Amino acid sequence: GQNIDQPTEMTATEGAIVQINCTYQTSGFNGLFWYQQHAGEAPTFLSYNVLDGLEEKGRFSSFLSRSKGYSYLLLKELQMKDSASYLCAVVNRGSTLGRLYFGRGTQLTVWP
Amino acid sequence: DVKVTQSSRYLVKRTGEKVFLECVQDMDHENMFWYRQDPGLGLRLIYFSYDVKMKEKGDIPEGYSVSREKKERFSLILESASTNQTSMYLCASSRARGLANYGYTFGSGTRLTVV
């Protein structure tokens, strides 16, 4: 089976930096996704990592260490609109059809 | 722009009713998925399909069935709605495996309340 862990809740202030961690245990790891989901809306794609290292995309960066089964999403210069749930998801090489296995999500609240 | 459309944003149904949730994608994606999302439980996979007329059970298929008669449309059916099926239902689609960046595109969700 798959085991994906991420913190349930985090808070931070506007302008700050926050790091959301995700650890996973899976057989045949084949990539990790981060999605953002605002309340009442659909999740939207943020990043995809399949190789070790840091992928930077504007204010958001995602890091992966396959040997440690660990990823983090780094959000810089936080804005109020970054208040959302952040979902970590892994794809398993052995899984059917690129099915994603999701963590339970981290609810981030950004305070002014 | 790529799109996954769910027919209803909000739905209220009575216990015992047969309920149809429709999902249509315009990206020619092979794979389609139905999830439900509940507070504290995250996204749980109900059913998925990798081709027309093909379907596979996910983690919580009990009380649900699906239909995929055309590539672009994937329907979720609640045979006899119960109050414990009150939830947010999310449809998603993706390209077949082997292609780069085959993550999901999600629909906007249907919030179903069974009374």
Side-chain angles (χ1 to χ4, degrees), chain B residues 88-101:
Chain B
M88 169 69 90
Y89 289 87
L90 286 166
C91 175
S93 71
S94 73
R95 292 191 181 280
R97 290 188 68 188
L99 299 175
N101 190 16

Side-chain angles (χ1 to χ4, degrees), chain A residues 65-82:
Chain A
S65 169
R66 289 173 295 171
S67 63
K68 294 182 179 177
Y70 168 68
S71 173
Y72 66 73
L73 181 69
L74 192 71
L75 291 76
K76 302 176 187 175
E77 301 169 16
L78 279 173
Q79 302 175 10
M80 299 292 288
K81 67 178 181 180
D82 297 329

Side-chain angles (χ1 to χ4, degrees), chain B residues 43-62:
Chain B
L43 286 160
R44 293 183 291 167
L45 182 64
I46 305 170
Y47 266 97
F48 59 102
S49 167
Y50 54 91
D51 201 352
V52 176
K53 296 194 185 297
M54 307 303 287
K55 60 185 179 184
E56 295 279 348
K57 292 180 180 179
D59 300 323
I60 51 163
E62 297 77 19

